[in-house]
Amino acid sequence: PKPAYLFVDNGKAELRDATRLWGKSTYETEDTLESEHGGAKVISIGPAGEKLSLISCIITQRGSAAGRSGLGAVMGSKKLKAVAVRGEGKVPVADIAAVEKLRKEYLSIINQAPARNGLHNFGTCSHTDASAHSGDSPVKNWGGVGVVELPDVSGLSKEIFNANVTNRHGCWHCPVACRGSLKEGVGEYKYPAGTKRVEYETAAAFGAMCLNNNAEAIIMASHICNYYGIDTISAGTVIAFAMELYEHGIITKKDTGDIDLKWGNYKAMVAMTEKLARREGLGDVLADGVKKAAERIGKGAGEFAVHIGGQELGLHDPKGDFPGFAGQPTSAKNMMDAAPGRHTGGFGPSHFGWLAINAAGLCLHINTMVDGTKYAADFLAAVTGWQRSVGEILKCGERIENIRHLFNLREGDNPLERKVHGRITGQPPQTEGPLAGVTADLLEQVYWNLGALDWDRVTAKPSRKKLLELGLNDIAEELWPPQINKA
Amino acid sequence: PKPAYLFVDNGKAELRDATRLWGKSTYETEDTLESEHGGAKVISIGPAGEKLSLISCIITQRGSAAGRSGLGAVMGSKKLKAVAVRGEGKVPVADIAAVEKLRKEYLSIINQAPARNGLHNFGTCSHTDASAHSGDSPVKNWGGVGVVELPDVSGLSKEIFNANVTNRHGCWHCPVACRGSLKEGVGEYKYPAGTKRVEYETAAAFGAMCLNNNAEAIIMASHICNYYGIDTISAGTVIAFAMELYEHGIITKKDTGDIDLKWGNYKAMVAMTEKLARREGLGDVLADGVKKAAERIGKGAGEFAVHIGGQELGLHDPKGDFPGFAGQPTSAKNMMDAAPGRHTGGFGPSHFGWLAINAAGLCLHINTMVDGTKYAADFLAAVTGWQRSVGEILKCGERIENIRHLFNLREGDNPLERKVHGRITGQPPQTEGPLAGVTADLLEQVYWNLGALDWDRVTAKPSRKKLLELGLNDIAEELWPPQINKA
C-alpha cells in the first residue's frame, strides 16, 4: 500500500496519502500536519519506523515517545506515517463542583511534594549524576561500577542538562510540568531550537551505560533518536553493547566504518547513533536491538546482549530496588511484565494500582506524590459519575495485568521461559561499588507474585477461578475449555 | 511433681496419681486405666515419652498415634502419663433427617471408591512393595534407589503383612475400617496378640529406608515403638541414618554394642530399635532423632541427617509428587508446614481443605474418596446447624494454616530459614530409577504459595490485610502494631 496518515477531524476518521511525508523526520511530519490541519495534534514515526527498526518508536511534540517495544515498526509495517487529531468537542463532567474541590485538594498536596520542584525545574534528568554512582543506573552495559569506572559525573549535573532550557512545559494543565525545550545547540553539536531536554532514561542510556559524561553528546543522541523515531533506552543500550563488543575485538573498525567505538568516546557514540537511526553499515546490524544484533554478529556476542525477551531494560538497576519508584519486585517486573524490560511495567499485586493509573492516562510521577489509587478513584467518580472504590481500582489494575499477559500467552509467549541476563540480577554479584555482593532474589519475586496472581507455576496460566473473579468469563471459557475441566 | 494422669469423667476433670504407672508401657497403661475406669478411652505415653525422647509420641488403642513432633515428651515433661475419658453424654444433632440422608449418599460414594476395599482389606501397608520401587518411598536413608538396591520386595507384600490379621476395625462407624489387629507372633518375633497391623509409614521406615524386606521384623519394630511410645517414622529414619553412619565407619561396633548395623540387617534393626526405645547405649544417642544424633556424634554425621527443622520426613518422596495423596506442592509442604516433615501437613491454598478436614476430625483417606470440603460443609450444617459454604470451609483451613504458622513465627521460627537436605529435593538428582534426573522445584513451590498466602517473602509474616480478612484482628494488631504502620 501507499504511505498514509490517519486524520481524525471532530470524530470523523479518514486515511490520507502520506507519500510526500515518507522519509521525513518526526519533526517535519509533525510540523507539516499541524500547519495543514490547524490545531491538530500529531503522533508520527520517523525513518526508523519506516525501515521497521525493532527499536523504533512513535513520537509527538518532538520528543514525547511511545518508546518501548518497537511500536514505530508496527506503524511502519502498515505504512501508517502519522495520526493527526483535531476537535472542538467538550469533555462532559459529571460533577464539576466535586472536580473543583478535588483539584484544589490535590494541587495543594502536589505543590508541597518534594519531588515536584525538582521535576519542574530540572526534569527527570536531575538525578543522572547521582544515579550513575548510587547503583540506580546500570553502568557500562550493566557490567560496570559507576564510582569506579565513571568517577567524574560532573558533566552530567542537572545544571548542565538545563543550561540551555528556554521554557518548561508539561501535559495539559499539569502542576508539575516536567518537560523542557532547549535553545539551538551552539557548541560541538548543533541540535535545533526546540530540541527536548533529555529525560533520565536517555541520559543514563547514553551516559553511564556508555561510560560517557558529556551532556551535549547525550542531548545530540537524544535529538537524533527523536528525529528519526528511535527508542533512546534501546538505542543507548545497543551502542553500549557495541562498545563492549569493540572492547573484546568481536567487532573492529572494519565493522564500524572506522568509528573508534571505545567506552566513553562520545563522538563515536553520536556517530554510531546516527548510523543506527539510518540503518547504515553497522547501524543496520544494531537497529533491531541487542538480541537481533547478537544473532547477526555471532562470535559469542550474545554473552553481552543484556535484554529480557528481546527488549533492552529500563535503566533502573533492579538490584538497587530504587526506592519510591516502583518498589518491589523490580527484578521480577522486568522479567514478567507483558512488555518485558519496561521500567514502567508491572507484575503482581504491588503494581495493580500502578497499572490502573497508567491505563487511566494519569501520571506515574504524580502517583508518587499522592495516594495514587485514591486519586484515580476520586477523579473517576467526579468526572464520570462512576463511583468506584480503591479496591475496584486495584481490581481493574489486576484485570489489566491479566489481559496483557493473556494476550502474550495466547501468542505462545510464556514469560517464565524468558532468560534474564546474570548482570541484571547480580549472578555473579558485582565485587565493588554500591551493589557489591547484591544478588536480586528474582526467582523468589517471580514465584511469590505468580502465587499472589494465581497464575500456574509452570504454564503461567491464570486460574479459571481468578479469571471468573475478574469478570473475564469469555477468556476463562477459552483458556479452560470444559473438556479440560472434566479431566 | 509426681506422675499423674488426667481423668475426665462425664465432664469432670481430675488429676490422679500415676506413680504406679510410671515406667509402664502404653499397652499396660491403657489396659490398667480402661479396666479401672470401665468404658474409659485412654491415651498415654510410654517409657520413651517419660525419658523425654524428642521422637516419642502419644498412643491409644495399642498403635494409633499422635505420632509426630515429640508430643510424648511434652506429656513426659509435665509428668502426665495418660488421659482417660469416660462419659455418657449425647452428641446433639441439629437435623437428624439431613444427617441420615447425607450418610446414605456419602456411604454410597465411599463404598464404590476404588481405594476403600484396599484400605479395608489390607490397610495402608498394602502398597509398601510397590512404593519401594515406584519412587514413592524414600530408600536407604533417602539416598538409594529401590529397584536397584532392594530389588526383592516380595517380603513386603500386602498378603504377608496381612497373613496374621485377626480382625479389621476402624474409627467409630467408619465404612472403611482401615485398621487391623494381629495374632500373637509365632515366628522369629513374639509380638503379643493384639499388636496392630503396620501402617505404610512404619513399613516404609523400617523397610525400604533400612533396605529391609523382612515383614516380621517390621511388625516387631512397630510393636516396640507402639509399646514404648515412639514415632515409627522418626525411629525407622534414625535407624537408617545409623546404618549409613555404620557403612561409612562414623560409628562402629564399639558404638553399637556389637550390633552389626549393616543395611538390611533386620535383626540389628530390631535390636537397635529396642535400645533406642529404652535409651540404652547408642539408642540414647539416637532417641531424639537424626538432627540431635548428628550433633552428638559429629564427625560429619550431619551430612546424612535427613530432616527438616529437626523432624524426620513422612515417607512419600516429594520428588514423586505422589498422585492423589496431597498433590502439589509436596516439597514445599514438607519444608513450610508448621510441623515440618509431616506428610499430613499443609502449605498454601491447595491444602486449605485438607487442613480444615483434618482439624474437623474427619479422615484424610475418606477426603480422597469424596469431595472433601463439600462433605465437611454438608455434615457441619446437618450436625451443628451452622450453614457454611465450601468457600468458608476453605477459609477456615486458611485460618488454621495462618494460626499454626503465627505460633511458630512468634517463637522465632521462620520456616524460610529451614534447610532442606538435597536428597529430599534431588540436588543433585538421582542417576537411576524412577526419579532419575528429577529435582523438585522447591523454591518455586515455596514462593508461589507464600504469594498466594500473602506472607512476606523474607520475614514470612502474613500481611495485615490477610489477617484482617481472616478475622484474626487481634493477631493483626500484635504483628503489625500502629507505630510500624506509620513508618
Side-chain angles (χ1 to χ4, degrees):
Chain A
K2 282 203 303 184
Y5 72 97
L6 179 67
F7 179 46
V8 182
D9 192 12
N10 269 306
K12 190 168 147 267
E14 191 182 348
L15 282 172
R16 295 197 176 182
D17 181 62
T19 305
R20 75 211 143 96
L21 298 170
W22 205 249
K24 301 281 190 215
S25 73
T26 62
Y27 296 7
E28 293 161 303
T29 303
E30 188 164 348
D31 288 350
T32 302
L33 291 178
E34 278 192 12
S35 77
E36 285 182 16
H37 306 297
K41 298 293 180 189
V42 176
I43 63 167
S44 70
I45 61 170
E50 295 175 11
K51 293 177 182 169
L52 307 182
S53 160
L54 293 183
I55 63 172
S56 63
C57 65
I58 304 169
I59 292 281
T60 188
Q61 299 187 312
R62 299 200 166 207
S64 291
R68 310 308 317 277
S69 308
L71 294 178
V74 175
M75 283 179 66
S77 72
K78 299 172 190 295
K79 293 255 194 269
L80 180 66
K81 179 68 178 174
V83 179
V85 180
R86 178 170 77 174
E88 285 87 33
K90 298 283 177 205
V91 177
V93 170
D95 184 347
I96 189 70
V99 170
E100 273 304 305
K101 183 162 172 290
L102 287 171
R103 194 178 68 81
K104 281 177 193 152
E105 280 173 21
Y106 278 105
L107 270 180
S108 146
I109 297 171
I110 291 165
N111 284 329
Q112 289 169 45
R116 186 263 163 202
N117 284 351
L119 281 169
H120 176 75
N121 291 327
F122 299 109
T124 60
C125 63
S126 68
H127 57 82
T128 302
D129 48 359
S131 284
H133 279 183
S134 70
D136 178 24
S137 301
V139 173
K140 203 182 178 187
N141 195 29
W142 292 84
V145 175
V147 289
V148 175
E149 293 171 279
L150 190 65
D152 179 7
V153 290
S154 59
L156 303 175
S157 73
K158 56 179 177 288
E159 291 79 10
I160 290 177
F161 279 121
N162 279 271
N164 219 3
V165 168
T166 52
N167 72 318
R168 293 173 167 79
H169 49 97
C171 299
W172 191 64
H173 277 205
C174 177
V176 175
C178 67
R179 292 185 233 155
S181 295
L182 305 181
K183 288 182 283 195
E184 188 180 346
V186 294
E188 185 168 354
Y189 292 109
K190 304 290 187 278
Y191 45 82
T195 291
K196 282 292 174 302
R197 177 174 61 197
V198 299
E199 302 291 342
Y200 162 75
E201 293 286 332
T202 307
F206 289 107
M209 279 285 280
C210 295
L211 288 191
N212 164 45
N213 58 12
N214 182 311
E216 284 289 297
I218 294 173
I219 295 170
M220 188 63 190
S222 176
H223 157 62
I224 293 168
C225 288
N226 291 335
Y227 185 86
Y228 286 93
I230 294 260
D231 175 33
T232 57
I233 295 174
S234 289
T237 300
V238 77
I239 300 289
F241 160 78
M243 285 177 165
E244 187 158 10
L245 298 189
Y246 189 79
E247 177 190 5
H248 293 292
I250 295 172
I251 58 174
T252 65
K253 279 194 180 167
K254 216 182 120 197
D255 303 292
T256 64
D258 252 0
I259 293 174
D260 184 25
L261 258 185
K262 274 199 197 120
W263 289 112
N265 181 347
Y266 69 86
K267 290 177 201 285
M269 179 185 85
V270 171
M272 189 52 70
T273 301
E274 184 138 21
K275 286 167 81 76
L276 183 160
R278 303 168 65 95
R279 299 204 81 130
E280 290 173 1
L282 181 65
D284 186 41
V285 173
L286 302 178
D288 296 313
V290 298
K291 178 168 180 278
K292 289 281 179 195
E295 289 167 11
R296 288 168 186 151
I297 293 166
K299 306 180 192 171
E303 184 187 334
F304 307 104
V306 180
H307 67 89
I308 299 179
Q311 177 153 267
E312 297 76 16
L313 273 68
L315 296 164
H316 294 288
D317 192 321
K319 292 190 287 298
D321 275 332
F322 186 49
F325 186 66
Q328 300 264 8
T330 38
S331 297
K333 178 192 70 173
N334 273 300
M335 172 175 160
M336 298 295 291
D337 183 70
R342 286 210 317 166
H343 61 300
T344 52
F347 178 57
S350 61
H351 288 117
F352 290 162
W354 178 265
L355 290 168
I357 286 159
N358 211 358
L362 297 172
C363 174
L364 293 180
H365 282 300
I366 288 184
N367 176 54
T368 67
M369 306 177 198
V370 301
D371 180 343
T373 42
K374 184 169 181 302
Y375 168 76
D378 284 349
F379 274 105
L380 184 74
V383 172
T384 67
W386 297 347
Q387 302 292 335
R388 293 291 183 274
S389 68
V390 165
E392 285 168 306
I393 298 292
L394 293 172
K395 189 64 72 186
C396 173
E398 184 173 12
R399 194 176 300 112
I400 290 165
E401 177 160 356
N402 274 271
I403 292 173
R404 296 174 74 235
H405 170 66
L406 285 158
F407 178 90
N408 283 0
L409 270 191
R410 189 189 62 191
E411 303 302 313
D413 177 14
N414 177 348
L416 291 172
E417 291 165 8
R418 294 178 191 149
K419 301 276 180 295
V420 176
H421 198 290
R423 288 183 182 176
I424 298 169
T425 51
Q427 291 177 299
Q430 298 194 324
T431 54
E432 294 177 289
L435 299 176
V438 175
T439 300
D441 59 342
L442 173 67
L443 271 190
E444 291 86 339
Q445 292 178 22
V446 166
Y447 286 91
W448 195 99
N449 285 282
L450 276 180
L453 289 161
D454 202 4
W455 294 359
D456 185 82
R457 204 168 80 227
V458 176
T459 64
K461 277 169 71 168
S463 74
R464 181 180 175 83
K465 178 163 162 264
K466 174 56 72 182
L467 293 172
L468 294 176
E469 178 197 319
L470 293 172
L472 301 173
N473 301 42
D474 52 337
I475 300 177
E477 294 309 315
E478 192 181 322
L479 204 64
W480 300 102
Q483 62 271 27
I484 287 178
N485 295 326
K486 277 183 205 143
Chain B
K2 282 202 303 183
Y5 72 97
L6 179 67
F7 178 46
V8 182
D9 192 12
N10 270 305
K12 190 167 147 269
E14 191 183 349
L15 282 172
R16 295 196 175 182
D17 181 62
T19 305
R20 74 212 144 95
L21 298 169
W22 205 249
K24 300 281 190 214
S25 73
T26 62
Y27 296 6
E28 293 161 302
T29 303
E30 188 164 347
D31 288 350
T32 302
L33 291 178
E34 278 192 12
S35 77
E36 285 182 16
H37 306 297
K41 299 292 180 189
V42 176
I43 63 167
S44 70
I45 61 170
E50 296 175 11
K51 293 177 183 170
L52 307 182
S53 160
L54 293 183
I55 63 172
S56 64
C57 65
I58 303 169
I59 292 281
T60 188
Q61 299 187 312
R62 298 200 166 207
S64 292
R68 310 307 318 276
S69 308
L71 294 178
V74 175
M75 283 178 65
S77 72
K78 299 173 190 295
K79 292 256 194 271
L80 180 65
K81 179 67 178 174
V83 179
V85 180
R86 178 170 78 173
E88 285 87 34
K90 299 282 176 206
V91 178
V93 170
D95 184 346
I96 189 71
V99 170
E100 273 303 305
K101 183 162 171 289
L102 287 171
R103 193 178 68 82
K104 281 178 193 150
E105 281 174 20
Y106 278 105
L107 270 179
S108 146
I109 298 171
I110 291 165
N111 285 329
Q112 289 169 45
R116 186 262 163 202
N117 284 351
L119 280 169
H120 176 74
N121 291 327
F122 299 108
T124 60
C125 63
S126 67
H127 58 81
T128 302
D129 48 359
S131 284
H133 279 183
S134 70
D136 178 24
S137 301
V139 174
K140 203 181 177 188
N141 195 28
W142 293 84
V145 175
V147 289
V148 175
E149 293 172 279
L150 190 65
D152 179 8
V153 290
S154 59
L156 303 175
S157 73
K158 57 179 177 288
E159 291 79 10
I160 290 177
F161 279 121
N162 278 271
N164 219 2
V165 168
T166 52
N167 71 318
R168 293 173 167 79
H169 49 97
C171 299
W172 191 64
H173 277 205
C174 178
V176 175
C178 67
R179 292 185 233 155
S181 294
L182 305 181
K183 287 182 285 194
E184 188 180 346
V186 294
E188 186 168 354
Y189 292 110
K190 304 290 186 276
Y191 45 83
T195 291
K196 282 292 175 301
R197 177 174 61 196
V198 298
E199 302 291 341
Y200 162 74
E201 294 286 332
T202 307
F206 289 107
M209 278 285 280
C210 295
L211 287 191
N212 164 45
N213 58 11
N214 182 310
E216 284 290 298
I218 294 173
I219 295 169
M220 188 63 190
S222 176
H223 157 62
I224 293 168
C225 288
N226 290 335
Y227 185 86
Y228 286 92
I230 294 260
D231 175 33
T232 56
I233 295 174
S234 288
T237 300
V238 77
I239 300 289
F241 161 78
M243 285 177 165
E244 188 158 9
L245 299 189
Y246 189 79
E247 177 190 5
H248 293 292
I250 295 172
I251 58 174
T252 65
K253 280 195 180 167
K254 215 182 120 197
D255 303 292
T256 64
D258 252 0
I259 293 175
D260 184 25
L261 259 185
K262 274 198 197 121
W263 288 112
N265 181 348
Y266 69 86
K267 291 177 200 287
M269 179 185 85
V270 171
M272 189 51 71
T273 301
E274 183 138 20
K275 286 167 80 77
L276 182 160
R278 302 168 66 95
R279 299 204 81 131
E280 290 173 1
L282 182 65
D284 186 41
V285 174
L286 302 178
D288 296 313
V290 298
K291 177 169 180 278
K292 288 281 177 194
E295 289 167 10
R296 288 169 186 150
I297 293 166
K299 306 179 192 172
E303 184 188 334
F304 307 104
V306 180
H307 67 89
I308 300 179
Q311 177 153 267
E312 298 75 16
L313 272 69
L315 296 164
H316 294 288
D317 192 321
K319 292 190 287 297
D321 275 332
F322 186 49
F325 186 66
Q328 300 263 8
T330 39
S331 297
K333 178 192 70 174
N334 272 301
M335 172 174 160
M336 298 296 291
D337 183 70
R342 286 209 317 165
H343 61 299
T344 53
F347 178 57
S350 61
H351 288 117
F352 290 163
W354 178 265
L355 289 168
I357 286 159
N358 211 358
L362 297 172
C363 174
L364 294 180
H365 283 300
I366 288 184
N367 176 54
T368 67
M369 306 177 198
V370 301
D371 181 343
T373 42
K374 184 168 181 303
Y375 168 77
D378 285 349
F379 274 105
L380 184 73
V383 172
T384 67
W386 296 347
Q387 303 291 335
R388 293 292 183 273
S389 68
V390 165
E392 285 168 305
I393 298 292
L394 293 172
K395 189 64 72 185
C396 173
E398 184 174 12
R399 195 176 299 113
I400 290 164
E401 177 160 355
N402 274 271
I403 292 172
R404 295 174 74 235
H405 170 66
L406 286 158
F407 178 90
N408 283 0
L409 270 191
R410 189 189 61 191
E411 303 302 313
D413 178 14
N414 176 349
L416 291 172
E417 291 166 8
R418 293 178 191 149
K419 300 276 180 295
V420 176
H421 197 289
R423 289 183 181 175
I424 298 169
T425 50
Q427 291 177 300
Q430 297 194 326
T431 54
E432 294 178 289
L435 299 177
V438 175
T439 300
D441 59 343
L442 173 67
L443 271 190
E444 290 86 339
Q445 292 178 22
V446 166
Y447 286 92
W448 195 100
N449 284 282
L450 277 180
L453 289 161
D454 202 3
W455 294 359
D456 185 83
R457 204 167 80 226
V458 176
T459 64
K461 277 169 71 169
S463 74
R464 180 180 175 83
K465 178 164 162 264
K466 173 57 71 183
L467 293 172
L468 294 176
E469 178 197 319
L470 293 172
L472 301 173
N473 301 41
D474 52 337
I475 300 177
E477 294 308 315
E478 192 180 321
L479 204 64
W480 300 101
Q483 61 271 27
I484 287 179
N485 295 326
K486 278 183 205 144

